[in-house]
Amino acid sequence: MGMDTDSGLGNGYRYRYGSWYQFLLGESDIGQNRAEASRRALAELNPRVAVVAHTGELSEAFLASFQVVVLTESPLEEQLHIGDFCHARGICFIVADAKGLAGQLFCDFGKHFVVDDPAEGDPVCAAVQHISQGNPGVVTCMGEEDSRGHLFGDDDLVMFSGVEGMTELNGQEPVPVHVLDAFRLEIGDTSSFSPYRRGGLVSQVRLPKVHCYKPLRQALAEPQIRVASPEELPRSRSLHAAFQALHAFRGEQGRLPLPRAPADAERVLELARSLGAQQGPLEEDVVRAFASVSAGDLCPVAAVIGALAAQEALKAITRKFLPLDQWLYFDALECLSLEGAGQLTEEDCAPRGSRYDGQIAVFGAAFQEQLGRQKYLVVGAGAIGCELLKNFAMMGLAAGPGGDLTITDMDTVALSNLHRQLLYRSSDISKPKSVVAAAAVQRMNPSVRVRAHQNQVGPATESLYGDDFFRRLDGVVSALDTLEARAYLESRCLRYLTPLLDSGTEGPRGNVLAMVPLVTKPLGPAGGPRDGTFPLCTLRYFPRTIQHTLQWARDEFEGLFQLPAEHVNRFMEDPAFPEQLPAGKALEVLEQVRGSLWEWPRDWRGCVRWARRHWQSRYHDAITQLLHTFPPEHETSPGVPFWAGDRSCPHPLTFDPDNDTHLEYILAAAHLFAQTHKVPPCSDRAAAQTILRSVVLPPFVPQEGLQIPLAEEQEEVQTPADHRWLAELTQDLVQRKQELVGGEEAQVPLMEPIHFEKVPGARQAALLSLGGWRAENYGIPPADWLSKRIAGRIVPAIITTTAAVAGLACLEVYKLVWGCRDPSCYRNSNLWLSDCLLLRYQPLPPPTYWYGGREWSCWDRLEMQAVSADGQEMTVQEVLDWLQRTQGWTVTMLLRGHTVIYDREEDEETRTRQRAQRLSENLEGAGEPRRRELELYYVCEGEDAEAENERPPLICSLP
């Protein structure tokens, strides 16, 4: 694949203001060739990828060697010439361009492009309950989740497997289905088949699809444009004409239109009129707006278009997912509808010799100063967080006087992060993410005032992230990996009227949601994609669902057959490996290496014995230890059982060599263990059973005082390394290495790491049964084959999605910084990169409700200064009087959370005491920390039952 990197998206002509939307470049690169400077930065991202800079002409001889050619910000003449060449040679050709607040993407993958895997996710599959004998036969099946039915569509091709009785269907060529209802499908003639008995799976078969593309020259005149809805087509056609007109304007003037220059914008419109007549009426306001800011450079727009283009390049290489057919236009021109934005002049947007001139060309110099004064909190520095921070650095958010950017993340950098979290490098492994990310932001833009925290934003840290902290913020951006954490953050932003932008991804899908105080509805329950997995303590000790046990099974696999082999190979090949390990991880990794070297199997018998010991360790001993630490009758406090609510009390399992599923696991695990150690395997089941019956394991003795974390916050607590013990351990390992090698050079590599995705299906299914046994440990309903597919559907974050999502979120940041209160300017976004589809829509307005005879918004609250005339904290009676005086409400109950402050149903003596107390007296007695603000809950006389959970909160500011 070939791609130039001479500007934000790539090489080519430019009359642009500023180039600091190019995050790969720093001030030290000024004056250097951008392709070469970018090459050095790109090479650091992955040392295994060869990155070559080409600064010469894009000759046909040079282009002929590539599978994919991507042109960015290239003159139309060059696009047409190279497009013709690539189309004739069968080279996949992509054009990506960003101008101001709009972007353009074009794909030509040739006359005959075969897509091997056109759809996202796994093929549809369902368990068979019954198949009738008839013409047509009727298949009754169960759905994948909660028996809500199958997901097949009319004319889907399916195959059958595992059917008992009507075995003629097994392995038959794919047949089309007709959907009768949510649980029934019609197939072909089954009248002559044997009667159905039981079991079986019906699975969708996806056949390759062939696509035929027009060359660019033809596609310009006959555009096929991808839109999310038919209503968007006129706008996209207008942008199609506008981009061509911009090329023509540049041909006339030798430059792009000057920012906010009416004469230039009108000339572009004139040129577009001549081009747009063949494709329908022009939306002239769209063309004018586009032209007026087309000289600008905005890193969020470049991020969106660059991510879409990168995903299309991946489709060209992998032939996975449907490629774009053929044009896509993206714009955020709604930003120009911000109050006052339309009145910006040429002078406001003229270049200042600043790194932000490309942004000033769109929003003006005063707005850039406002960006620099922002105080923002970014929660999470993972895949999305890295992309957000990269954009913030380029935008200059918090880079001026009074600005402040706080990053908080409890996690440390891991090796698996490096494929999608671009702020981190191999040398950062085991370092705090927030600290490394903050340093990266400052390298990109030394002016940004950034602080790194390593805290969770939650109830336990409200002393740090409390009233004063949230009230000073201009906005919060969440890049969290759990819905629970996001819900808490949303509640805090609701309380303090703080804008919140939330983003999530799952593979090629992503979304962005904007929560603007007084303008939009709160985020509410989320079912969209998230960037993350389950807390470790849940997976290790307290699983609740089959998803938990299957994720645990995947983690087990990696810890048994992949990571140990990789670590052993590095130790055997590199004498300096122990010294290269981070201090916090050295002991753990070297002990893992020692375990692998000391338990080295001599033969197949040793592999079977190892698998038996492992089964005993996981399904009997670990559960016995957990029950020793927390017995079934254990209580967290008197009368409160430990094993209740989210915790299911487990029970140990007993191994049975005559149990077929137990034996299948032993054989699968032993085969993989043998493969990693390069020991010849054996498939004799009877021999394996004989070995298993001879295994005698000592009785398990639980440890006393073993600490088991009960919450995610308690996990991964690292103790300082004992350097003397590390030295002794390293020496032991060197000695063991010599014993294994026998004075000769070690076989390189010594072990074979195995990745789960590369394991044969039958063995993979057998190994996933360990998730089912763990479910049995905890009384979780067992997983059928369909549920086990969840483990294969765990989709990691991919950087193309996270880059696009972050760009979309940062476009909303512009509106927040502008102080926009017009809901029509904001956009929520849903993204499907697998289909190159982007849906942006206006957030819903805040919901309202009636209480106390008037209408309230969800953002409304009652605020009072709870200070008596003597300067002391108000009494409860004074608060009751205030509500009666200002609202006309007679309060019958006043609470803080679950603590009752006043209850009219109590006896007279209790009521008198309650009314006389200061507001926080009861709370301090209940163990709550002293607060400057209290949010109180109340019940009023005569209120409707419907008002149970709908009333404006009462915020009391204490002295």
Side-chain angles (χ1 to χ4, degrees), residues 355-356 388-396 441 444-445 448:
R355 67 183 291 159
Y356 309 115
L388 288 167
L389 292 168
K390 172 199 77 177
N391 281 278
F392 288 168
M394 299 297 97
M395 292 162 60
V441 166
M444 290 182 187
N445 188 345
V448 176

Side-chain angles (χ1 to χ4, degrees), residues 123-126 142-147 149-151 786-787 789 793:
V124 176
C125 190
M142 296 183 293
E144 295 195 28
E145 299 176 10
D146 303 327
S147 298
H150 62 73
L151 300 176
L786 291 172
S787 298
R789 290 171 63 230
R793 284 206 302 260

Side-chain angles (χ1 to χ4, degrees), residues 6 92 136 140 413 433 509 620 651 676 715 891:
D6 197 42
C92 295
T140 305
V413 180
K433 282 186 175 180
R509 290 176 288 165
H620 181 275
H651 65 276
T676 61
E715 297 166 5
V891 174

Side-chain angles (χ1 to χ4, degrees), residues 619-620 623-624 627 648-653 773 775-779:
Y619 302 107
H620 181 275
I623 301 301
T624 302
L627 292 175
S648 299
C649 187
H651 65 276
L653 303 183
W773 293 327
E776 185 179 340
N777 275 140
Y778 284 85

Side-chain angles (χ1 to χ4, degrees), residues 495-618:
R495 163 76 181 275
Y496 298 106
L497 300 180
T498 306
L500 171 64
L501 292 173
D502 179 71
S503 306
T505 69
E506 185 179 53
R509 290 176 288 165
N511 63 18
V512 176
L513 299 174
M515 186 177 86
V516 186
L518 310 178
V519 177
T520 72
K521 67 171 292 186
L523 302 184
R530 312 302 309 162
D531 177 19
T533 54
F534 306 107
L536 290 178
C537 63
T538 299
L539 298 180
R540 292 176 179 173
Y541 305 108
F542 309 112
R544 302 186 300 275
T545 67
I546 195 63
Q547 288 92 336
H548 293 154
T549 66
L550 293 172
Q551 176 63 62
W552 177 86
R554 287 292 303 266
D555 293 346
E556 275 283 284
F557 183 96
E558 185 179 81
L560 291 173
F561 307 116
Q562 180 183 336
L563 294 180
E566 291 174 347
H567 291 151
V568 166
N569 287 344
R570 289 189 62 190
F571 174 77
M572 299 296 288
E573 296 168 7
D574 185 359
F577 172 62
E579 289 76 24
Q580 296 168 357
L581 291 169
K585 289 289 185 181
L587 185 61
E588 175 187 344
V589 171
L590 292 179
E591 285 186 335
Q592 185 185 66
V593 171
R594 183 180 65 169
S596 297
L597 295 180
W598 255 262
E599 65 184 5
W600 200 276
R602 295 183 177 180
D603 51 24
W604 170 246
R605 177 181 292 270
C607 297
V608 174
R609 289 178 176 272
W610 171 86
R612 173 67 181 91
R613 290 194 302 272
H614 181 75
W615 196 99
Q616 188 74 9
S617 169
R618 290 296 186 263

Side-chain angles (χ1 to χ4, degrees), residues 111-122:
K111 302 173 185 177
H112 186 85
F113 183 80
V114 179
V115 181
D116 296 326
D117 188 4
E120 180 192 348
D122 294 330

Side-chain angles (χ1 to χ4, degrees), residues 110 152 167 181 195 197 310 368 391 396 452 468 603 628 637 667 776 784 840 899:
F152 293 103
T167 56
D181 54 37
R197 288 180 56 207
Q368 188 61 51
N391 281 278
D468 292 340
D603 51 24
H628 178 79
S637 58
L667 288 172
E776 185 179 340
D784 58 17
R840 301 176 76 224
T899 302

